Amino acid sequence: MAQHQPKPTLLILAEPLLREGLQRILANTYTVVEPGGEGAESPQPSGVQLLVWSVGSTMPAATLERELQQLQERWQPAPLLLLLPGETRYPSDWLLQLPVEGLLQQAQPEEIPGAVATLLEGGRVLELRPLATADDTDAPQPQGLGVWLLRSGLEQIEREQRRCQGWLQRSQGVLSQLMLRGRLRELAMAHRLLLWLWGPISLAFADQPPPLDGAPAPPGTAITVRERSAIGVWQAIRGRLEAAIEAGLDNRSGQLLALEGLNAHHRRDLLLALIGQLDLLLLRLRHDHLRGEALEQRWQQLQPELRRLSLRAMAGEYVQLPQQGGLLKVAESLSAASQLDGIDPELPAALPMLGCLVQAQPLLVEGRLLPPDEPKALLQLEALISNWLIRNAELIAADVLACCSEWPELRRYLLRADLLPTRNLERLRNQLNAQQRWSSLFERPVQLYESQRLLYRLEAGAIAPLLLTEPRDAELRQLGWGQQLVTLSLEARDALAPQLQAALRRLGDLVVVVLTQVIGRAIGLVGRGVLQGLGRSVSRG
């Protein structure tokens, strides 16, 4: 006769009404004890196995951190599930750093049992749903001329971008969509130009730095790690990326992407194929037991084959199209004609990402080494993998566009409908080539000098940019003389900005002195003489 398995024991800390509601939800599956009750005083594994703490919105952040530390010291090694209301004032970045295994903000009743089960199995759960409140608006702060010009310009560009995005979603005509996409690219270029013109100058005119593009996490974040290992972290990231791809792939990166040339179906298939091949490659690397430089070299050696297999999966192994009177297999023809061994210089070093995904090594995030299952580390790891996906898809899509220019029948199968005319396709390829040259000659030296790297991040329904700050001195020293001239001009501009500020201040003081001491006194003397002359004339009359 099978032994009856005892139910896991949960300790619920909450206000009386909330505690009763949580007990009704969890009592059928788990043994729920109250603070001070039987079983709640034993910190042994046979006692409480999970803590559920529901916190109000009025507790200060320092008090919350102190209470969490005391609970963890008291009930270690039992995990802790923290429940927060949606109207809390805690910022999302701060919540991501809390040392808890589970965190649900504005949790729905049906979500709590699943989160409890995941935590009892050794996983992690994070769900942030902050509500916008009137207290969230920042009070106006004094700012200098450079900051005012920068922020006002960025706000105008952002409003225009939102307006164009709304028109693009409602537009049905091909011509209007092309015009709106062109307008969005113009606004993105204006955004980058404004940052380049006024970014460092605003630092000289005020002590407040300009805003950076991107954020560690969007306001609403959902992470579920079933297993706190390299495999569990990868499965959690893979699920989030696949959900983002299925939601759509609007281009909000500010750059023209070759990936946009593919139709929506093959665009999605290419990214999903890259994720599938990455999964197989990670499995292979785990079995090879490589470390350090050997692991990174093996990764680089397998990249061309990974792209080739992804291209074949996207094209379809059994699809045949006519060319010059015969039928050719699309996958074989594209694989033979494509050059997939190129290297994108903007791809960051793969070793930190591989160390997390293969060996569960910690990741350096904001000066701290964090385990890969920590929310902050997992989100940065997801950004690195998203960037790898988009940039590899760009390399493949560029080769596909080149093949389509020589194979007209292939355009109907792989490309958007508006790229069927040869003129439109060649225009797109020329624009991509011009953008690549501009980026290589100007934008990349600027990013290297500013120690920034542009990443592409997959969000829900869009490809968004993210600026990652990291040292790039070695790459900076490898630039050619033309690119180094760009960095020298930036250095000269930064050096002259404080001098310009001092010169303008002294010029303003000089103008004040001239107006008040010289011109003002002269006007006063003239006026006094006129009045005295009028007085004498009146006395004579």
Side-chain angles (χ1 to χ4, degrees):
M1 184 175 179
Q3 271 189 332
H4 177 67
Q5 294 291 336
K7 296 181 181 180
T9 303
L10 310 183
L11 174 62
I12 297 180
L13 305 175
E15 296 179 358
L17 290 178
L18 287 175
R19 186 168 62 246
E20 291 179 5
L22 292 172
Q23 287 176 348
R24 285 196 298 269
I25 295 173
L26 300 171
N28 293 332
T29 311
Y30 306 100
T31 301
V32 179
V33 297
E34 298 182 2
E38 184 179 356
E41 297 298 328
S42 174
Q44 302 301 323
S46 59
V48 174
Q49 295 173 269
L50 175 69
L51 277 74
V52 181
W53 184 22
S54 178
V55 182
S57 59
T58 58
M59 180 176 291
T63 305
L64 177 60
E65 282 188 312
R66 186 169 58 251
E67 293 292 336
L68 284 175
Q69 183 179 2
Q70 293 177 356
L71 285 174
Q72 290 177 332
E73 292 176 355
R74 171 69 177 85
W75 299 104
Q76 191 177 11
L80 190 149
L81 174 60
L82 183 65
L83 303 179
L84 294 174
E87 66 275 7
T88 179
R89 295 185 179 181
Y90 307 132
S92 298
D93 287 345
W94 182 80
L95 292 175
L96 292 175
Q97 299 176 358
L98 289 179
V100 295
E101 291 77 11
L103 195 158
L104 297 180
Q105 188 175 19
Q106 198 184 358
Q108 302 298 323
E110 61 273 10
E111 296 174 348
I112 297 177
V116 170
T118 300
L119 294 178
L120 290 174
E121 293 172 359
R124 298 182 72 105
V125 175
L126 175 70
E127 184 81 37
L128 299 183
R129 299 192 188 100
L131 294 178
T133 61
D135 297 333
D136 292 338
T137 57
D138 297 330
Q141 299 178 356
Q143 54 188 10
L145 174 64
V147 175
W148 179 81
L149 289 173
L150 176 64
R151 290 191 170 177
S152 62
L154 293 179
E155 289 173 359
Q156 293 176 20
I157 292 174
E158 186 178 357
R159 285 196 298 268
E160 185 68 17
Q161 285 177 333
R162 287 198 299 265
R163 189 180 298 112
C164 291
Q165 289 287 351
W167 290 341
L168 187 61
Q169 292 176 359
R170 296 190 298 268
S171 176
Q172 300 294 333
V174 176
L175 181 60
S176 60
Q177 289 184 357
L178 289 175
M179 294 177 63
L180 288 171
R181 293 183 186 276
R183 177 59 176 164
L184 287 173
R185 288 194 293 269
E186 292 176 357
L187 291 171
M189 180 63 72
H191 182 275
R192 295 198 301 272
L193 182 62
L194 195 62
L195 284 175
W196 182 77
L197 287 175
W198 284 105
I201 296 180
S202 66
L203 292 175
F205 277 71
D207 296 332
Q208 201 168 359
L212 292 179
D213 292 342
T221 305
I223 299 174
T224 301
V225 181
R226 301 292 179 186
E227 181 184 350
R228 299 173 69 176
S229 63
I231 298 176
V233 169
W234 162 240
Q235 293 299 331
I237 294 176
R238 179 178 181 176
R240 286 172 53 85
L241 292 178
E242 290 178 345
I245 293 171
E246 294 293 344
L249 292 169
D250 290 339
N251 183 12
R252 299 178 190 169
S253 64
Q255 300 280 344
L256 183 63
L257 300 178
L259 191 60
E260 289 183 283
L262 303 179
N263 59 44
H265 174 69
H266 287 98
R267 199 183 312 157
R268 177 181 61 85
D269 287 349
L270 176 57
L271 290 173
L272 292 178
L274 282 168
I275 292 179
Q277 293 299 323
L278 178 59
D279 182 48
L280 296 177
L281 178 56
L282 291 176
L283 181 61
R284 183 175 179 178
L285 293 175
R286 293 189 191 105
H287 286 293
D288 290 343
H289 301 289
L290 298 175
R291 291 180 176 273
E293 293 184 0
L295 177 61
E296 189 168 10
Q297 290 177 1
R298 184 62 172 162
W299 165 268
Q300 296 295 344
Q301 292 172 358
L302 295 174
Q303 291 301 293
E305 184 63 21
L306 181 146
R307 296 170 189 149
R308 198 170 305 278
L309 293 174
S310 301
L311 174 60
R312 296 178 67 95
M314 182 269 295
E317 289 289 347
Y318 304 105
V319 176
Q320 295 183 356
L321 291 177
Q323 187 185 33
Q324 297 180 355
L327 287 176
L328 294 180
K329 291 186 176 180
V330 174
E332 291 183 1
S333 301
L334 287 177
S335 179
S338 300
Q339 301 293 330
L340 300 175
D341 53 354
I343 299 177
D344 190 339
E346 285 302 302
L347 275 173
L351 189 56
M353 180 180 72
L354 294 177
C356 295
L357 298 177
V358 176
Q359 301 158 353
Q361 293 179 354
L363 185 67
L364 185 63
V365 181
E366 297 177 359
R368 296 191 303 160
L369 281 174
L370 299 178
D373 60 284
E374 287 283 340
K376 278 276 195 181
L378 191 143
L379 288 173
Q380 181 159 333
L381 190 58
E382 179 186 335
L384 294 175
I385 299 174
S386 298
N387 182 67
W388 177 88
L389 281 176
I390 299 300
R391 292 191 178 275
N392 277 276
E394 277 292 286
L395 291 174
I396 297 173
D399 280 340
V400 170
L401 293 179
C403 293
C404 287
S405 66
E406 301 175 358
W407 191 352
E409 290 82 0
L410 192 60
R411 301 178 199 172
R412 296 183 182 273
Y413 177 57
L414 293 178
L415 303 188
R416 299 195 320 251
D418 59 290
L419 294 180
L420 291 180
T422 304
R423 180 181 180 182
N424 292 349
L425 177 58
E426 294 305 322
R427 183 191 296 118
L428 175 62
R429 294 184 62 203
N430 291 332
Q431 290 174 348
L432 289 170
N433 292 333
Q435 177 181 271
Q436 184 178 5
R437 287 192 294 269
W438 173 261
S439 176
S440 175
L441 294 175
F442 183 77
E443 290 186 347
R444 186 166 186 267
V446 172
Q447 291 178 1
L448 290 177
Y449 185 68
E450 295 178 348
S451 299
Q452 292 182 345
R453 189 186 297 275
L454 176 62
L455 304 183
Y456 294 121
R457 182 175 60 185
L458 281 173
E459 295 180 347
I463 300 173
L466 173 65
L467 283 178
L468 179 66
T469 302
E470 61 178 10
R472 306 186 68 180
D473 297 351
E475 298 174 78
L476 186 62
R477 289 191 291 268
Q478 297 174 0
L479 293 177
W481 66 269
Q483 296 168 316
Q484 289 183 358
L485 287 178
V486 176
T487 62
L488 289 175
S489 65
L490 289 176
E491 185 175 359
R493 189 190 64 173
D494 295 342
L496 293 176
Q499 308 298 329
L500 178 62
Q501 180 190 14
L504 290 177
R505 185 184 298 115
R506 290 174 183 173
L507 180 61
D509 295 340
L510 179 61
V511 170
V512 171
V513 170
V514 170
L515 290 176
T516 57
Q517 301 297 326
V518 180
I519 300 178
R521 287 190 176 184
I523 294 174
L525 291 174
V526 171
R528 186 180 303 172
V530 170
L531 291 176
Q532 290 178 355
L534 290 175
R536 285 196 293 268
S537 300
V538 172
S539 62
R540 288 188 187 129

